[in-house]
Amino acid sequence: MPELSRRRALGAAAALAAAVGTQAVAAPAATAAGHRPGAPGSFDEVYKGRRIQGRPAAGGHHQHHGGGYAVLIDGVELHVMQNADGSWISVVSHYDPVPTPRAAARAAVDELQGARLLPFPAN
């Protein structure tokens, strides 16, 4: 087996960097075409006796924060926002980021402890 030289190590690192750079360039092109890789899908379930739902939303007054995603708890909209790192937060559990809108809905149900979710004011 040939010994690993500095030249071979640098060559391998350069090849790896080129491969990663190619993927980084391809990702924005897919997003610009309207396809959002990793966009969350819809869900509809009962969690701790509360009906939680989530779905991609077209339009809406909070679309710029939630990336066009709507979450409902017992039919009342839970305002969610997606952070720059891809995590999600809600007005109920604002300082506890979670990986998905479903996890944000579940965290809100946990925080509400049976209390009713009040609508978020549009102003």
Side-chain angles (χ1 to χ4, degrees):
M1 180 172 205
E3 196 173 311
L4 182 62
S5 66
R6 186 178 353 177
R7 174 178 264 168
R8 282 190 176 196
L10 288 174
L16 180 62
V20 170
T22 302
Q23 289 176 345
V25 170
T31 303
H35 179 275
R36 290 183 34 215
S42 297
F43 64 90
D44 187 347
E45 68 181 39
V46 175
Y47 176 74
K48 294 187 177 180
R50 311 289 292 269
R51 183 173 184 193
I52 59 173
Q53 300 168 287
R55 63 184 172 274
H61 59 280
H62 294 300
Q63 180 178 358
H64 60 283
H65 292 299
Y69 201 85
V71 174
L72 304 170
I73 297 178
D74 296 330
V76 178
E77 182 181 5
L78 172 68
H79 180 67
V80 295
M81 298 184 312
Q82 187 172 24
N83 295 321
D85 66 356
S87 64
W88 292 79
I89 57 174
S90 75
V91 294
V92 176
S93 58
H94 195 79
Y95 296 105
D96 188 20
V98 292
T100 64
R102 180 190 309 248
R106 289 177 174 175
V109 168
D110 292 341
E111 284 293 319
L112 288 169
Q113 298 179 8
R116 218 179 60 164
L117 176 65
L118 298 177
F120 190 74
N123 301 14

